[in-house]
Amino acid sequence: MQTILLVEDNEMNRDMLSRRLKRKGYEVLLAVDGQQGIDMCLQSPPALMLLDMSLPVKDGWQVAREMKATPALQHIPIIALTAHAMADDRQRALLAGCDDYDTKPVDLPRLLGKIAHLLGAVE
């Protein structure tokens, strides 16, 4: 079973998405702020991180940059999750170090496809 770390501060989003991912066979770990997400990755690296970009303590942009600059973490694929759907938000997330980008509200089939693609690419 592959582990996904969901870094999301909104409880409703966290609960809904974690339940749906578990039903699809993933083990889901939860973090509620950016620093907690980094700390959890250092303790037990997940197969993939789903990263909200609007987080307390450290925002998703900072988390992505730090993870890709840390040799022990840079291999972990990151999918940015954001309600920001402006034209340059995707490019900004990719430049920060995210491997892919998806908008909220989450379209589960689309997100599952992105997860499968990235997990297949790192196996």
Side-chain angles (χ1 to χ4, degrees), residues 40-93:
M40 289 177 74
C41 285
L42 287 167
Q43 291 172 349
S44 180
L48 182 137
M49 175 188 273
L50 294 176
L51 180 63
D52 179 26
M53 300 312 279
S54 300
L55 293 167
V57 185
K58 288 186 178 178
D59 67 25
W61 316 107
Q62 187 175 0
V63 170
R65 285 191 297 273
E66 286 186 29
M67 287 190 53
K68 294 306 179 176
T70 304
L73 302 178
Q74 61 191 196
H75 70 282
I76 299 169
I78 301 171
I79 298 177
L81 295 178
T82 181
H84 303 288
M86 302 301 286
D88 66 337
D89 286 329
R90 182 179 197 285
Q91 186 64 22
R92 184 173 169 221

mmCIF file of all heavy atoms in Angstrom, residues 40-93:
data_model
loop_
_atom_site.group_PDB
_atom_site.id
_atom_site.type_symbol
_atom_site.label_atom_id
_atom_site.label_comp_id
_atom_site.label_asym_id
_atom_site.label_seq_id
_atom_site.Cartn_x
_atom_site.Cartn_y
_atom_site.Cartn_z
ATOM 1 N N MET A 40 7.065 15.515 8.864
ATOM 2 C CA MET A 40 6.571 14.153 8.650
ATOM 3 C C MET A 40 7.331 13.471 7.511
ATOM 4 O O MET A 40 7.620 12.280 7.583
ATOM 5 C CB MET A 40 5.068 14.166 8.388
ATOM 6 C CG MET A 40 4.268 14.515 9.639
ATOM 7 S SD MET A 40 2.488 14.624 9.352
ATOM 8 C CE MET A 40 2.081 12.869 9.205
ATOM 9 N N CYS A 41 7.665 14.223 6.477
ATOM 10 C CA CYS A 41 8.434 13.658 5.365
ATOM 11 C C CYS A 41 9.830 13.241 5.816
ATOM 12 O O CYS A 41 10.357 12.220 5.371
ATOM 13 C CB CYS A 41 8.537 14.657 4.219
ATOM 14 S SG CYS A 41 7.022 14.840 3.272
ATOM 15 N N LEU A 42 10.431 14.026 6.680
ATOM 16 C CA LEU A 42 11.765 13.693 7.187
ATOM 17 C C LEU A 42 11.724 12.443 8.058
ATOM 18 O O LEU A 42 12.647 11.627 8.026
ATOM 19 C CB LEU A 42 12.346 14.874 7.975
ATOM 20 C CG LEU A 42 12.793 16.065 7.134
ATOM 21 C CD1 LEU A 42 13.049 17.284 8.006
ATOM 22 C CD2 LEU A 42 14.037 15.705 6.318
ATOM 23 N N GLN A 43 10.650 12.268 8.819
ATOM 24 C CA GLN A 43 10.522 11.107 9.710
ATOM 25 C C GLN A 43 10.222 9.831 8.935
ATOM 26 O O GLN A 43 10.776 8.773 9.216
ATOM 27 C CB GLN A 43 9.425 11.344 10.747
ATOM 28 C CG GLN A 43 9.772 12.388 11.763
ATOM 29 C CD GLN A 43 8.584 12.745 12.657
ATOM 30 O OE1 GLN A 43 7.442 12.365 12.407
ATOM 31 N NE2 GLN A 43 8.867 13.478 13.715
ATOM 32 N N SER A 44 9.315 9.925 7.985
ATOM 33 C CA SER A 44 8.883 8.751 7.231
ATOM 34 C C SER A 44 8.410 9.203 5.853
ATOM 35 O O SER A 44 7.242 9.549 5.675
ATOM 36 C CB SER A 44 7.754 8.042 7.989
ATOM 37 O OG SER A 44 7.335 6.905 7.279
ATOM 38 N N PRO A 45 9.308 9.225 4.876
ATOM 39 C CA PRO A 45 8.953 9.771 3.562
ATOM 40 C C PRO A 45 7.785 9.032 2.899
ATOM 41 O O PRO A 45 7.801 7.810 2.806
ATOM 42 C CB PRO A 45 10.231 9.586 2.738
ATOM 43 C CG PRO A 45 11.329 9.467 3.748
ATOM 44 C CD PRO A 45 10.702 8.792 4.938
ATOM 45 N N PRO A 46 6.766 9.782 2.476
ATOM 46 C CA PRO A 46 5.639 9.166 1.771
ATOM 47 C C PRO A 46 6.006 8.912 0.306
ATOM 48 O O PRO A 46 7.021 9.413 -0.189
ATOM 49 C CB PRO A 46 4.549 10.240 1.880
ATOM 50 C CG PRO A 46 5.334 11.525 1.864
ATOM 51 C CD PRO A 46 6.588 11.233 2.632
ATOM 52 N N ALA A 47 5.155 8.168 -0.379
ATOM 53 C CA ALA A 47 5.348 7.952 -1.813
ATOM 54 C C ALA A 47 5.037 9.226 -2.595
ATOM 55 O O ALA A 47 5.599 9.457 -3.670
ATOM 56 C CB ALA A 47 4.463 6.809 -2.299
ATOM 57 N N LEU A 48 4.147 10.079 -2.036
ATOM 58 C CA LEU A 48 3.690 11.287 -2.743
ATOM 59 C C LEU A 48 3.089 12.246 -1.728
ATOM 60 O O LEU A 48 2.544 11.817 -0.714
ATOM 61 C CB LEU A 48 2.641 10.902 -3.785
ATOM 62 C CG LEU A 48 2.064 12.003 -4.666
ATOM 63 C CD1 LEU A 48 1.969 11.527 -6.113
ATOM 64 C CD2 LEU A 48 0.685 12.421 -4.186
ATOM 65 N N MET A 49 3.189 13.541 -2.023
ATOM 66 C CA MET A 49 2.585 14.559 -1.175
ATOM 67 C C MET A 49 1.540 15.332 -1.961
ATOM 68 O O MET A 49 1.788 15.762 -3.083
ATOM 69 C CB MET A 49 3.648 15.543 -0.671
ATOM 70 C CG MET A 49 3.075 16.714 0.129
ATOM 71 S SD MET A 49 4.311 17.976 0.523
ATOM 72 C CE MET A 49 4.960 17.327 2.034
ATOM 73 N N LEU A 50 0.350 15.485 -1.345
ATOM 74 C CA LEU A 50 -0.666 16.399 -1.860
ATOM 75 C C LEU A 50 -0.577 17.639 -0.982
ATOM 76 O O LEU A 50 -0.755 17.561 0.234
ATOM 77 C CB LEU A 50 -2.059 15.782 -1.754
ATOM 78 C CG LEU A 50 -2.305 14.550 -2.629
ATOM 79 C CD1 LEU A 50 -3.688 13.972 -2.352
ATOM 80 C CD2 LEU A 50 -2.162 14.894 -4.098
ATOM 81 N N LEU A 51 -0.275 18.766 -1.586
ATOM 82 C CA LEU A 51 0.099 19.965 -0.837
ATOM 83 C C LEU A 51 -0.823 21.138 -1.134
ATOM 84 O O LEU A 51 -0.815 21.684 -2.241
ATOM 85 C CB LEU A 51 1.550 20.333 -1.204
ATOM 86 C CG LEU A 51 2.166 21.549 -0.549
ATOM 87 C CD1 LEU A 51 2.270 21.374 0.962
ATOM 88 C CD2 LEU A 51 3.551 21.809 -1.157
ATOM 89 N N ASP A 52 -1.613 21.500 -0.121
ATOM 90 C CA ASP A 52 -2.392 22.735 -0.220
ATOM 91 C C ASP A 52 -1.387 23.886 -0.269
ATOM 92 O O ASP A 52 -0.371 23.851 0.419
ATOM 93 C CB ASP A 52 -3.317 22.849 0.999
ATOM 94 C CG ASP A 52 -4.160 24.119 1.000
ATOM 95 O OD1 ASP A 52 -4.426 24.658 -0.092
ATOM 96 O OD2 ASP A 52 -4.552 24.559 2.087
ATOM 97 N N MET A 53 -1.655 24.880 -1.055
ATOM 98 C CA MET A 53 -0.699 25.980 -1.189
ATOM 99 C C MET A 53 -0.944 27.103 -0.191
ATOM 100 O O MET A 53 -0.052 27.891 0.091
ATOM 101 C CB MET A 53 -0.710 26.513 -2.630
ATOM 102 C CG MET A 53 -0.343 25.454 -3.670
ATOM 103 S SD MET A 53 1.123 24.473 -3.305
ATOM 104 C CE MET A 53 2.409 25.584 -3.841
ATOM 105 N N SER A 54 -2.131 27.190 0.374
ATOM 106 C CA SER A 54 -2.458 28.229 1.360
ATOM 107 C C SER A 54 -2.489 27.599 2.743
ATOM 108 O O SER A 54 -3.540 27.164 3.215
ATOM 109 C CB SER A 54 -3.808 28.867 1.035
ATOM 110 O OG SER A 54 -3.774 29.464 -0.239
ATOM 111 N N LEU A 55 -1.331 27.530 3.376
ATOM 112 C CA LEU A 55 -1.192 26.858 4.665
ATOM 113 C C LEU A 55 -0.640 27.810 5.721
ATOM 114 O O LEU A 55 0.087 28.747 5.396
ATOM 115 C CB LEU A 55 -0.200 25.689 4.543
ATOM 116 C CG LEU A 55 -0.610 24.498 3.693
ATOM 117 C CD1 LEU A 55 0.589 23.613 3.417
ATOM 118 C CD2 LEU A 55 -1.694 23.708 4.410
ATOM 119 N N PRO A 56 -0.934 27.514 6.997
ATOM 120 C CA PRO A 56 -0.288 28.273 8.069
ATOM 121 C C PRO A 56 1.159 27.793 8.296
ATOM 122 O O PRO A 56 1.547 26.747 7.795
ATOM 123 C CB PRO A 56 -1.171 27.971 9.281
ATOM 124 C CG PRO A 56 -1.812 26.665 8.992
ATOM 125 C CD PRO A 56 -1.943 26.587 7.488
ATOM 126 N N VAL A 57 1.893 28.538 9.058
ATOM 127 C CA VAL A 57 3.279 28.310 9.456
ATOM 128 C C VAL A 57 4.211 28.461 8.245
ATOM 129 O O VAL A 57 4.982 29.400 8.184
ATOM 130 C CB VAL A 57 3.499 26.965 10.186
ATOM 131 C CG1 VAL A 57 4.942 26.842 10.673
ATOM 132 C CG2 VAL A 57 2.523 26.807 11.350
ATOM 133 N N LYS A 58 4.141 27.551 7.302
ATOM 134 C CA LYS A 58 4.858 27.665 6.027
ATOM 135 C C LYS A 58 3.854 27.364 4.928
ATOM 136 O O LYS A 58 3.194 26.329 4.956
ATOM 137 C CB LYS A 58 6.014 26.665 5.928
ATOM 138 C CG LYS A 58 7.178 26.997 6.806
ATOM 139 C CD LYS A 58 8.335 26.059 6.570
ATOM 140 C CE LYS A 58 9.495 26.478 7.459
ATOM 141 N NZ LYS A 58 10.643 25.585 7.311
ATOM 142 N N ASP A 59 3.753 28.250 3.938
ATOM 143 C CA ASP A 59 2.800 27.999 2.860
ATOM 144 C C ASP A 59 3.350 26.941 1.902
ATOM 145 O O ASP A 59 4.515 26.537 1.988
ATOM 146 C CB ASP A 59 2.400 29.296 2.146
ATOM 147 C CG ASP A 59 3.528 29.950 1.360
ATOM 148 O OD1 ASP A 59 4.486 29.261 0.931
ATOM 149 O OD2 ASP A 59 3.446 31.172 1.153
ATOM 150 N N GLY A 60 2.496 26.486 1.021
ATOM 151 C CA GLY A 60 2.871 25.419 0.105
ATOM 152 C C GLY A 60 4.023 25.780 -0.818
ATOM 153 O O GLY A 60 4.835 24.931 -1.174
ATOM 154 N N TRP A 61 4.104 27.035 -1.206
ATOM 155 C CA TRP A 61 5.200 27.466 -2.089
ATOM 156 C C TRP A 61 6.539 27.253 -1.378
ATOM 157 O O TRP A 61 7.492 26.738 -1.956
ATOM 158 C CB TRP A 61 5.039 28.930 -2.482
ATOM 159 C CG TRP A 61 3.637 29.316 -2.855
ATOM 160 C CD1 TRP A 61 2.772 30.070 -2.104
ATOM 161 C CD2 TRP A 61 2.899 28.952 -4.031
ATOM 162 N NE1 TRP A 61 1.563 30.188 -2.752
ATOM 163 C CE2 TRP A 61 1.618 29.517 -3.931
ATOM 164 C CE3 TRP A 61 3.214 28.192 -5.153
ATOM 165 C CZ2 TRP A 61 0.644 29.360 -4.906
ATOM 166 C CZ3 TRP A 61 2.247 28.029 -6.133
ATOM 167 C CH2 TRP A 61 0.977 28.599 -6.010
ATOM 168 N N GLN A 62 6.600 27.663 -0.107
ATOM 169 C CA GLN A 62 7.825 27.529 0.675
ATOM 170 C C GLN A 62 8.141 26.056 0.938
ATOM 171 O O GLN A 62 9.296 25.631 0.848
ATOM 172 C CB GLN A 62 7.683 28.298 1.994
ATOM 173 C CG GLN A 62 8.954 28.372 2.798
ATOM 174 C CD GLN A 62 8.817 29.247 4.039
ATOM 175 O OE1 GLN A 62 7.760 29.810 4.303
ATOM 176 N NE2 GLN A 62 9.883 29.348 4.801
ATOM 177 N N VAL A 63 7.112 25.267 1.256
ATOM 178 C CA VAL A 63 7.306 23.832 1.496
ATOM 179 C C VAL A 63 7.904 23.163 0.255
ATOM 180 O O VAL A 63 8.876 22.409 0.351
ATOM 181 C CB VAL A 63 5.978 23.152 1.893
ATOM 182 C CG1 VAL A 63 6.118 21.637 1.903
ATOM 183 C CG2 VAL A 63 5.503 23.658 3.249
ATOM 184 N N ALA A 64 7.338 23.435 -0.910
ATOM 185 C CA ALA A 64 7.829 22.814 -2.148
ATOM 186 C C ALA A 64 9.295 23.195 -2.396
ATOM 187 O O ALA A 64 10.117 22.336 -2.729
ATOM 188 C CB ALA A 64 6.957 23.224 -3.333
ATOM 189 N N ARG A 65 9.612 24.472 -2.236
ATOM 190 C CA ARG A 65 11.002 24.906 -2.453
ATOM 191 C C ARG A 65 11.956 24.210 -1.483
ATOM 192 O O ARG A 65 13.024 23.740 -1.882
ATOM 193 C CB ARG A 65 11.114 26.424 -2.311
ATOM 194 C CG ARG A 65 10.559 27.196 -3.504
ATOM 195 C CD ARG A 65 10.920 28.670 -3.451
ATOM 196 N NE ARG A 65 10.345 29.354 -2.297
ATOM 197 C CZ ARG A 65 9.133 29.902 -2.268
ATOM 198 N NH1 ARG A 65 8.363 29.865 -3.349
ATOM 199 N NH2 ARG A 65 8.694 30.500 -1.186
ATOM 200 N N GLU A 66 11.574 24.138 -0.203
ATOM 201 C CA GLU A 66 12.433 23.497 0.797
ATOM 202 C C GLU A 66 12.600 22.005 0.529
ATOM 203 O O GLU A 66 13.703 21.466 0.659
ATOM 204 C CB GLU A 66 11.876 23.712 2.201
ATOM 205 C CG GLU A 66 12.085 25.114 2.708
ATOM 206 C CD GLU A 66 11.660 25.286 4.160
ATOM 207 O OE1 GLU A 66 11.709 24.316 4.947
ATOM 208 O OE2 GLU A 66 11.261 26.417 4.502
ATOM 209 N N MET A 67 11.518 21.343 0.164
ATOM 210 C CA MET A 67 11.613 19.901 -0.080
ATOM 211 C C MET A 67 12.507 19.601 -1.274
ATOM 212 O O MET A 67 13.314 18.677 -1.227
ATOM 213 C CB MET A 67 10.228 19.296 -0.262
ATOM 214 C CG MET A 67 9.488 19.237 1.068
ATOM 215 S SD MET A 67 7.974 18.295 1.033
ATOM 216 C CE MET A 67 8.477 16.732 0.360
ATOM 217 N N LYS A 68 12.383 20.371 -2.336
ATOM 218 C CA LYS A 68 13.200 20.105 -3.527
ATOM 219 C C LYS A 68 14.659 20.509 -3.321
ATOM 220 O O LYS A 68 15.537 20.062 -4.044
ATOM 221 C CB LYS A 68 12.604 20.798 -4.755
ATOM 222 C CG LYS A 68 11.240 20.223 -5.154
ATOM 223 C CD LYS A 68 11.261 18.713 -5.364
ATOM 224 C CE LYS A 68 9.878 18.195 -5.734
ATOM 225 N NZ LYS A 68 9.838 16.772 -6.037
ATOM 226 N N ALA A 69 14.933 21.325 -2.293
ATOM 227 C CA ALA A 69 16.305 21.711 -1.970
ATOM 228 C C ALA A 69 16.941 20.771 -0.939
ATOM 229 O O ALA A 69 18.127 20.897 -0.643
ATOM 230 C CB ALA A 69 16.339 23.149 -1.452
ATOM 231 N N THR A 70 16.168 19.837 -0.410
ATOM 232 C CA THR A 70 16.647 18.902 0.609
ATOM 233 C C THR A 70 16.874 17.541 -0.038
ATOM 234 O O THR A 70 15.912 16.897 -0.466
ATOM 235 C CB THR A 70 15.611 18.777 1.753
ATOM 236 O OG1 THR A 70 15.345 20.079 2.281
ATOM 237 C CG2 THR A 70 16.111 17.861 2.858
ATOM 238 N N PRO A 71 18.131 17.095 -0.148
ATOM 239 C CA PRO A 71 18.413 15.832 -0.840
ATOM 240 C C PRO A 71 17.572 14.641 -0.369
ATOM 241 O O PRO A 71 17.137 13.839 -1.183
ATOM 242 C CB PRO A 71 19.902 15.611 -0.573
ATOM 243 C CG PRO A 71 20.452 16.996 -0.443
ATOM 244 C CD PRO A 71 19.360 17.768 0.287
ATOM 245 N N ALA A 72 17.286 14.541 0.918
ATOM 246 C CA ALA A 72 16.525 13.402 1.432
ATOM 247 C C ALA A 72 15.043 13.463 1.051
ATOM 248 O O ALA A 72 14.337 12.464 1.166
ATOM 249 C CB ALA A 72 16.648 13.341 2.958
ATOM 250 N N LEU A 73 14.583 14.629 0.586
ATOM 251 C CA LEU A 73 13.158 14.801 0.283
ATOM 252 C C LEU A 73 12.874 15.097 -1.186
ATOM 253 O O LEU A 73 11.725 14.984 -1.624
ATOM 254 C CB LEU A 73 12.569 15.936 1.130
ATOM 255 C CG LEU A 73 12.693 15.795 2.638
ATOM 256 C CD1 LEU A 73 12.118 17.017 3.342
ATOM 257 C CD2 LEU A 73 12.044 14.513 3.130
ATOM 258 N N GLN A 74 13.875 15.466 -1.949
ATOM 259 C CA GLN A 74 13.621 15.966 -3.301
ATOM 260 C C GLN A 74 13.035 14.930 -4.253
ATOM 261 O O GLN A 74 12.456 15.287 -5.272
ATOM 262 C CB GLN A 74 14.871 16.619 -3.888
ATOM 263 C CG GLN A 74 16.044 15.714 -4.019
ATOM 264 C CD GLN A 74 17.327 16.464 -4.350
ATOM 265 O OE1 GLN A 74 18.276 15.831 -4.765
ATOM 266 N NE2 GLN A 74 17.373 17.767 -4.188
ATOM 267 N N HIS A 75 13.119 13.649 -3.908
ATOM 268 C CA HIS A 75 12.557 12.595 -4.765
ATOM 269 C C HIS A 75 11.039 12.433 -4.594
ATOM 270 O O HIS A 75 10.395 11.766 -5.399
ATOM 271 C CB HIS A 75 13.230 11.257 -4.448
ATOM 272 C CG HIS A 75 12.835 10.715 -3.109
ATOM 273 N ND1 HIS A 75 13.372 11.191 -1.931
ATOM 274 C CD2 HIS A 75 11.930 9.764 -2.755
ATOM 275 C CE1 HIS A 75 12.827 10.539 -0.921
ATOM 276 N NE2 HIS A 75 11.947 9.673 -1.386
ATOM 277 N N ILE A 76 10.456 13.025 -3.535
ATOM 278 C CA ILE A 76 9.032 12.852 -3.257
ATOM 279 C C ILE A 76 8.219 13.722 -4.223
ATOM 280 O O ILE A 76 8.369 14.940 -4.236
ATOM 281 C CB ILE A 76 8.695 13.251 -1.798
ATOM 282 C CG1 ILE A 76 9.469 12.358 -0.820
ATOM 283 C CG2 ILE A 76 7.182 13.171 -1.549
ATOM 284 C CD1 ILE A 76 9.410 12.831 0.628
ATOM 285 N N PRO A 77 7.371 13.107 -5.046
ATOM 286 C CA PRO A 77 6.543 13.906 -5.948
ATOM 287 C C PRO A 77 5.525 14.737 -5.155
ATOM 288 O O PRO A 77 4.960 14.266 -4.166
ATOM 289 C CB PRO A 77 5.829 12.885 -6.834
ATOM 290 C CG PRO A 77 6.354 11.547 -6.460
ATOM 291 C CD PRO A 77 7.142 11.674 -5.203
ATOM 292 N N ILE A 78 5.303 15.963 -5.613
ATOM 293 C CA ILE A 78 4.369 16.875 -4.957
ATOM 294 C C ILE A 78 3.317 17.323 -5.961
ATOM 295 O O ILE A 78 3.659 17.797 -7.043
ATOM 296 C CB ILE A 78 5.105 18.123 -4.424
ATOM 297 C CG1 ILE A 78 6.201 17.743 -3.424
ATOM 298 C CG2 ILE A 78 4.107 19.097 -3.790
ATOM 299 C CD1 ILE A 78 7.105 18.911 -3.043
ATOM 300 N N ILE A 79 2.056 17.179 -5.571
ATOM 301 C CA ILE A 79 0.961 17.745 -6.361
ATOM 302 C C ILE A 79 0.398 18.912 -5.561
ATOM 303 O O ILE A 79 -0.068 18.739 -4.430
ATOM 304 C CB ILE A 79 -0.151 16.717 -6.643
ATOM 305 C CG1 ILE A 79 0.387 15.546 -7.470
ATOM 306 C CG2 ILE A 79 -1.321 17.393 -7.377
ATOM 307 C CD1 ILE A 79 -0.634 14.443 -7.734
ATOM 308 N N ALA A 80 0.472 20.098 -6.139
ATOM 309 C CA ALA A 80 -0.098 21.288 -5.516
ATOM 310 C C ALA A 80 -1.613 21.222 -5.622
ATOM 311 O O ALA A 80 -2.156 20.902 -6.684
ATOM 312 C CB ALA A 80 0.419 22.548 -6.215
ATOM 313 N N LEU A 81 -2.293 21.520 -4.529
ATOM 314 C CA LEU A 81 -3.755 21.614 -4.519
ATOM 315 C C LEU A 81 -4.113 23.035 -4.113
ATOM 316 O O LEU A 81 -3.688 23.495 -3.058
ATOM 317 C CB LEU A 81 -4.363 20.638 -3.512
ATOM 318 C CG LEU A 81 -4.187 19.160 -3.787
ATOM 319 C CD1 LEU A 81 -4.812 18.340 -2.666
ATOM 320 C CD2 LEU A 81 -4.788 18.777 -5.123
ATOM 321 N N THR A 82 -4.865 23.712 -4.959
ATOM 322 C CA THR A 82 -5.185 25.098 -4.632
ATOM 323 C C THR A 82 -6.508 25.536 -5.227
ATOM 324 O O THR A 82 -6.920 25.046 -6.276
ATOM 325 C CB THR A 82 -4.047 26.036 -5.113
ATOM 326 O OG1 THR A 82 -4.363 27.374 -4.760
ATOM 327 C CG2 THR A 82 -3.835 25.931 -6.598
ATOM 328 N N ALA A 83 -7.145 26.432 -4.526
ATOM 329 C CA ALA A 83 -8.359 27.054 -5.046
ATOM 330 C C ALA A 83 -7.998 28.186 -5.999
ATOM 331 O O ALA A 83 -8.854 28.697 -6.707
ATOM 332 C CB ALA A 83 -9.215 27.579 -3.896
ATOM 333 N N HIS A 84 -6.724 28.561 -6.015
ATOM 334 C CA HIS A 84 -6.261 29.604 -6.938
ATOM 335 C C HIS A 84 -6.200 29.009 -8.339
ATOM 336 O O HIS A 84 -5.474 28.062 -8.576
ATOM 337 C CB HIS A 84 -4.870 30.106 -6.540
ATOM 338 C CG HIS A 84 -4.811 30.636 -5.155
ATOM 339 N ND1 HIS A 84 -5.384 31.816 -4.781
ATOM 340 C CD2 HIS A 84 -4.258 30.115 -4.032
ATOM 341 C CE1 HIS A 84 -5.181 32.015 -3.495
ATOM 342 N NE2 HIS A 84 -4.501 30.993 -3.012
ATOM 343 N N ALA A 85 -6.962 29.549 -9.235
ATOM 344 C CA ALA A 85 -7.023 28.982 -10.583
ATOM 345 C C ALA A 85 -6.667 30.029 -11.632
ATOM 346 O O ALA A 85 -7.156 29.988 -12.747
ATOM 347 C CB ALA A 85 -8.399 28.398 -10.849
ATOM 348 N N MET A 86 -5.818 30.947 -11.266
ATOM 349 C CA MET A 86 -5.379 31.955 -12.219
ATOM 350 C C MET A 86 -4.406 31.312 -13.208
ATOM 351 O O MET A 86 -3.792 30.285 -12.925
ATOM 352 C CB MET A 86 -4.713 33.128 -11.495
ATOM 353 C CG MET A 86 -5.602 33.796 -10.462
ATOM 354 S SD MET A 86 -7.128 34.438 -11.138
ATOM 355 C CE MET A 86 -6.495 35.852 -12.001
ATOM 356 N N ALA A 87 -4.236 31.935 -14.345
ATOM 357 C CA ALA A 87 -3.431 31.363 -15.415
ATOM 358 C C ALA A 87 -1.998 31.077 -14.987
ATOM 359 O O ALA A 87 -1.416 30.082 -15.402
ATOM 360 C CB ALA A 87 -3.440 32.298 -16.623
ATOM 361 N N ASP A 88 -1.417 31.934 -14.145
ATOM 362 C CA ASP A 88 -0.017 31.729 -13.786
ATOM 363 C C ASP A 88 0.179 30.880 -12.531
ATOM 364 O O ASP A 88 1.312 30.569 -12.172
ATOM 365 C CB ASP A 88 0.683 33.077 -13.613
ATOM 366 C CG ASP A 88 0.152 33.870 -12.434
ATOM 367 O OD1 ASP A 88 -0.989 33.627 -12.005
ATOM 368 O OD2 ASP A 88 0.893 34.745 -11.938
ATOM 369 N N ASP A 89 -0.891 30.453 -11.856
ATOM 370 C CA ASP A 89 -0.740 29.678 -10.632
ATOM 371 C C ASP A 89 -0.096 28.316 -10.882
ATOM 372 O O ASP A 89 0.722 27.861 -10.091
ATOM 373 C CB ASP A 89 -2.087 29.496 -9.921
ATOM 374 C CG ASP A 89 -2.551 30.767 -9.237
ATOM 375 O OD1 ASP A 89 -1.689 31.553 -8.797
ATOM 376 O OD2 ASP A 89 -3.767 30.980 -9.156
ATOM 377 N N ARG A 90 -0.472 27.667 -11.982
ATOM 378 C CA ARG A 90 0.128 26.368 -12.296
ATOM 379 C C ARG A 90 1.629 26.524 -12.505
ATOM 380 O O ARG A 90 2.434 25.778 -11.949
ATOM 381 C CB ARG A 90 -0.522 25.763 -13.538
ATOM 382 C CG ARG A 90 0.021 24.393 -13.882
ATOM 383 C CD ARG A 90 -0.682 23.798 -15.124
ATOM 384 N NE ARG A 90 -0.466 22.386 -15.227
ATOM 385 C CZ ARG A 90 0.683 21.825 -15.617
ATOM 386 N NH1 ARG A 90 1.709 22.580 -15.922
ATOM 387 N NH2 ARG A 90 0.793 20.516 -15.695
ATOM 388 N N GLN A 91 2.016 27.504 -13.302
ATOM 389 C CA GLN A 91 3.436 27.737 -13.570
ATOM 390 C C GLN A 91 4.181 28.092 -12.283
ATOM 391 O O GLN A 91 5.294 27.626 -12.054
ATOM 392 C CB GLN A 91 3.607 28.855 -14.612
ATOM 393 C CG GLN A 91 5.034 29.068 -15.049
ATOM 394 C CD GLN A 91 5.632 27.878 -15.780
ATOM 395 O OE1 GLN A 91 4.927 27.036 -16.332
ATOM 396 N NE2 GLN A 91 6.947 27.789 -15.771
ATOM 397 N N ARG A 92 3.556 28.890 -11.444
ATOM 398 C CA ARG A 92 4.181 29.286 -10.169
ATOM 399 C C ARG A 92 4.417 28.055 -9.285
ATOM 400 O O ARG A 92 5.466 27.922 -8.657
ATOM 401 C CB ARG A 92 3.291 30.303 -9.459
ATOM 402 C CG ARG A 92 3.876 30.854 -8.204
ATOM 403 C CD ARG A 92 3.010 31.983 -7.656
ATOM 404 N NE ARG A 92 3.459 32.319 -6.324
ATOM 405 C CZ ARG A 92 2.674 32.600 -5.310
ATOM 406 N NH1 ARG A 92 1.370 32.650 -5.481
ATOM 407 N NH2 ARG A 92 3.169 32.881 -4.137
ATOM 408 N N ALA A 93 3.440 27.144 -9.241
ATOM 409 C CA ALA A 93 3.585 25.922 -8.442
ATOM 410 C C ALA A 93 4.709 25.049 -8.989
ATOM 411 O O ALA A 93 5.517 24.504 -8.232
ATOM 412 C CB ALA A 93 2.267 25.151 -8.407
#
